[in-house]
Amino acid sequence: MKGPALPPLKHATVNECLAAAARTEHGLVFVDAAERETRLSWAQVYGRARRTAAGLQRLGVAPGERVAVLLPTSPGFMEAFFGALLAGAVPVPLYPPVRLGRLDEYHRSTARMLEVSGAVVVLTDAKVRLLLGESVAAARPRLGCHTVEEVSSAEGDVALSVRPESLALIQFSSGSTVDPKPVALRHGHLLAQLAALEAELPLVPGQPPVGVSWLPLYHDMGLIGCLLSAAYYPGNMVLIPPEVFLARPALWLRALSRHRGFVSPAPNFAYGLCLKRVKDAELEGVDLSSWRHALNGAEPVSLETLRRFTERFARWGFQAGALRPVYGLSEASLAVTFPPAGRGPRGLGVDARVLAAERRVVEGSREVVSVGRPLPGFEVQVRDELGHEVPEGRVGRVFARGPSVMEGYFGHAEATARALDAEGWLDTGDLGFERDGELYLTGRAKDVVIIRGANHAPQEFEECLEGVEGLRTGCAVALGFTPEGEQDEALLLLAELAPGAREEGLEERVREAVVAGTGVRPHTVRVLEPGTLPRTSSGKLRRAESLRRYLAGELTAPKKVGTVGLVVEMAKSAWAFTRAGREE
């Protein structure tokens, strides 16, 4: 499959893009938990970033060196991120510590990413710096750890010119199946992705370009798909901290209405969270008719969730055609495929047993959702184990090629050689098939569960649990394992208990739901304490790590807690996007 031609780029580098946006009246709006708003024009962002760039130069940061940015969604993030770019350096956005629990694990992960990226300095704020001590001490960046306020305190004005082939960003892959890898993206990669996104997100005549996002800025969907896209249009971007959205998801919909947002992306769980947590009373006066591009990506898409979302919020003007399940990955800068605008989700009923055993598509009851066609400038192929392209309706590994695909992992030549071939084709590690010129995903190659010789995507089993009362929606993993004393792989299900739910009888209800949906009976079911399953920095469940922890006896069963304890546990979960991205 091949997408249309990439339109001409408006700018050659992100630095030029920001300078052009600064000549407009558009900018950013920051929304806090009380719905207070702070506005910052692109001109102000540019001015503050130039001052930070001068401070980085004084500190000793040379062009091409890496600057780690560990900041929440805030004006300070803009100063640090764009300031690094204007200094000719390379920003490395990392997730700040948002939970006091498991700090040892956070420090190990952060120290590793600082070392792998070769960051020479860490930029943060005073609050976050208090929690970063061990990470910085272990990594020992040459210029230490500083707050943005300290770096930009003196006068200065620096905005270096860079080339399209200059390194612009190191973003770590989500790490859902392996440790996160440092994806190296050049200015040309980012600008090509932004041009492709603009072509796929047409404006409504007479409606200004306004985006709304609660996604974290250390993740490609929030950073590239939202922030940098707003600078490229240029337009306005309304930013809500992810922890604020998780605590009060109605603020997302209210901001879309208040600012007449035309585009806003989110993972599938966010649409389900709105169904569970948004009350009608919170939507008084809300009008969602301007929301024309409700993108759904970063995790498997549930058609049932999207149908229910449309039914629930249609009375506030939401249109089914706005929903667009999309596909992408860090190694491609962000997006690879989009469905046509205005069509709405397209599902295909397949026979799950034939799909698993024979890797071919025949009509059946399991719904698989289309993630559309290649973006402008992109190509997609589905290949077999020998690397040959398979015919339509056959499952294989998904490969992608395009102008925003990375040239490699920073400092990891062997990993790069495994992911990219000589012709620039990227092995995404995903499984899927083509039908009528569109791509359908069926799972991750490394997550395949083999039962009696048939290859099953874990989503087949996980989707069966969405209607099981007492489980946290989207907080379950299906895994293949070999039980002690046995020879064949069997099915293991790990699922988190919903806050306040009773554990009695739940494991058997899980078994019954999976048997009814797939015909496969799980060998082992374990119900776990809320927030137990490990996640990536972008909130995805880490199946391989979940299996390792289960086999090591590190996963905990639900505690018996009183009302006060339950409230405390729920508050912890709502705060941590990286650990509990699917709050009930």
Side-chain angles (χ1 to χ4, degrees):
M1 295 186 292
K2 191 172 184 177
L6 183 72
L9 307 186
K10 293 180 180 178
H11 313 288
T13 67
V14 179
N15 296 22
E16 292 179 13
C17 179
L18 179 62
R23 296 191 289 270
T24 73
E25 297 180 352
H26 302 297
L28 307 176
V29 179
F30 299 88
V31 182
D32 67 14
E35 289 189 278
R36 293 185 296 260
E37 296 187 348
T38 301
R39 296 176 181 271
L40 207 62
S41 69
W42 285 116
Q44 290 173 304
V45 171
Y46 190 44
R48 293 185 181 192
R50 294 201 308 270
R51 187 166 178 157
T52 302
L56 289 171
Q57 273 195 351
R58 285 192 300 271
L59 198 61
V61 176
E65 291 189 314
R66 277 73 63 203
V67 175
V69 178
L70 287 95
L71 285 159
T73 299
S74 62
F77 181 95
M78 308 303 152
E79 296 174 36
F81 179 81
F82 289 113
L85 286 170
L86 295 182
V90 183
V92 185
L94 302 177
Y95 60 98
V98 294
R99 187 179 186 178
L100 295 180
R102 297 181 180 169
L103 271 181
D104 288 345
E105 180 183 327
Y106 172 82
H107 288 314
R108 285 193 297 270
S109 174
T110 302
R112 175 189 171 275
M113 289 189 281
L114 291 174
E115 292 170 351
V116 167
S117 64
V120 300
V121 66
V122 174
L123 290 186
T124 186
D125 61 23
K127 291 181 179 179
V128 174
R129 183 163 64 175
L130 293 174
L131 299 172
L132 287 179
E134 292 185 26
S135 304
V136 175
R140 300 174 64 185
R142 188 182 87 240
L143 301 176
C145 179
H146 302 269
T147 68
V148 177
E149 186 178 22
E150 292 168 348
V151 172
S152 59
S153 58
E155 293 295 327
D157 193 324
V158 168
L160 299 184
S161 295
V162 294
R163 299 173 61 84
E165 58 268 24
S166 299
L167 194 59
L169 172 68
I170 291 179
Q171 65 171 359
F172 279 84
S173 62
S174 65
S176 55
T177 58
V178 295
D179 284 334
K181 296 195 213 49
V183 176
L185 299 173
R186 305 189 183 280
H187 283 266
H189 293 141
L190 295 178
L191 270 295
Q193 175 69 198
L194 297 176
L197 288 175
E198 184 184 45
E200 288 290 341
L201 299 170
L203 289 169
V204 179
Q207 183 177 332
V210 178
V212 178
S213 174
W214 57 267
L215 297 167
L217 295 173
Y218 52 77
H219 186 248
D220 51 11
M221 192 185 290
L223 177 64
I224 301 171
C226 295
L227 178 63
L228 296 187
S229 285
Y232 188 81
Y233 263 96
N236 296 322
M237 177 57 62
V238 181
L239 296 169
I240 305 167
E243 65 272 13
V244 171
F245 162 75
L246 290 173
R248 292 186 61 196
L251 296 193
W252 180 34
L253 306 183
R254 289 161 64 93
L256 276 159
S257 173
R258 188 166 61 251
H259 291 275
R260 305 300 295 160
F262 90 107
V263 60
S264 188
N268 191 82
F269 89 84
Y271 295 93
L273 184 63
C274 288
L275 289 169
K276 291 177 177 290
R277 294 276 300 281
V278 175
K279 298 178 175 60
D280 287 1
E282 296 178 282
L283 299 182
E284 184 177 352
V286 163
D287 178 5
L288 299 176
S289 61
S290 64
W291 191 7
R292 297 303 181 94
H293 306 288
L295 310 181
N296 185 331
E299 64 182 18
V301 176
S302 167
L303 281 172
E304 179 60 26
T305 297
L306 299 190
R307 291 190 188 105
R308 290 171 52 218
F309 187 89
T310 299
E311 292 170 1
R312 167 79 191 281
F313 296 104
R315 60 186 284 197
W316 288 282
F318 185 77
Q319 303 164 55
L323 288 166
R324 301 181 73 182
V326 297
Y327 169 61
L329 63 165
S330 302
E331 288 84 350
S333 296
L334 177 59
V336 173
T337 64
F338 266 49
R343 183 189 71 187
R346 170 181 287 177
L348 180 68
V350 302
D351 187 312
R353 292 178 178 83
V354 175
L355 194 72
E358 303 178 25
R359 308 191 81 181
R360 64 186 180 90
V361 177
V362 299
E363 186 177 350
S365 59
R366 184 197 170 200
E367 282 192 306
V368 185
V369 65
S370 165
V371 291
R373 61 197 178 194
L375 262 64
F378 270 85
E379 299 174 79
V380 170
Q381 290 183 358
V382 179
R383 302 179 182 177
D384 62 18
E385 292 85 350
L386 299 177
H388 302 139
E389 196 169 0
V390 300
E392 184 178 275
R394 287 279 182 176
V395 175
R397 291 179 76 102
V398 178
F399 284 73
R401 182 168 65 177
S404 68
V405 169
M406 67 170 189
E407 291 182 11
Y409 297 112
F410 185 78
H412 285 243
E414 291 184 7
T416 299
R418 289 192 297 269
L420 284 169
D421 67 17
E423 296 180 343
W425 284 98
L426 171 68
D427 181 354
T428 69
D430 291 306
L431 299 174
F433 62 88
E434 297 177 20
R435 172 62 66 88
D436 297 330
E438 299 192 17
L439 178 66
Y440 292 77
L441 298 178
T442 60
R444 293 282 299 172
K446 291 184 179 180
D447 288 335
V448 166
V449 180
I450 304 174
I451 306 295
R452 294 190 292 274
N455 294 336
H456 296 265
Q459 289 88 348
E460 292 179 39
F461 308 111
E462 293 162 1
E463 289 169 0
C464 297
L465 306 187
E466 291 187 7
V468 176
E469 191 69 27
L471 295 182
R472 300 183 75 201
T473 303
C475 293
V477 292
L479 306 160
F481 82 124
T482 304
E484 187 174 353
E486 300 187 21
Q487 300 294 321
D488 297 326
E489 186 163 279
L491 177 60
L492 166 67
L493 283 167
L494 305 175
E496 293 181 7
L497 185 70
R502 295 173 62 85
E503 185 183 357
E504 288 76 12
L506 191 51
E507 290 186 1
E508 188 54 35
R509 294 202 300 275
V510 167
R511 284 191 172 88
E512 292 172 355
V514 172
V515 170
T518 67
V520 176
R521 184 171 180 82
H523 179 281
T524 303
V525 175
R526 289 290 180 269
V527 177
L528 306 172
E529 182 181 351
T532 298
L533 291 172
R535 298 179 182 277
T536 70
S537 63
S538 58
K540 297 178 183 177
L541 290 164
R542 299 182 65 190
R543 294 188 179 91
E545 177 64 9
S546 297
L547 179 59
R548 186 198 69 77
R549 293 189 184 183
Y550 168 77
L551 295 175
E554 298 175 3
L555 298 180
T556 55
K559 299 176 182 177
K560 305 297 183 183
V561 298
T563 302
V564 173
L566 178 61
V567 171
V568 170
E569 290 302 314
M570 291 178 70
K572 288 180 181 177
S573 295
W575 178 252
F577 174 80
T578 59
R579 294 296 179 193
R582 294 163 173 79
E583 175 61 24
E584 287 297 306

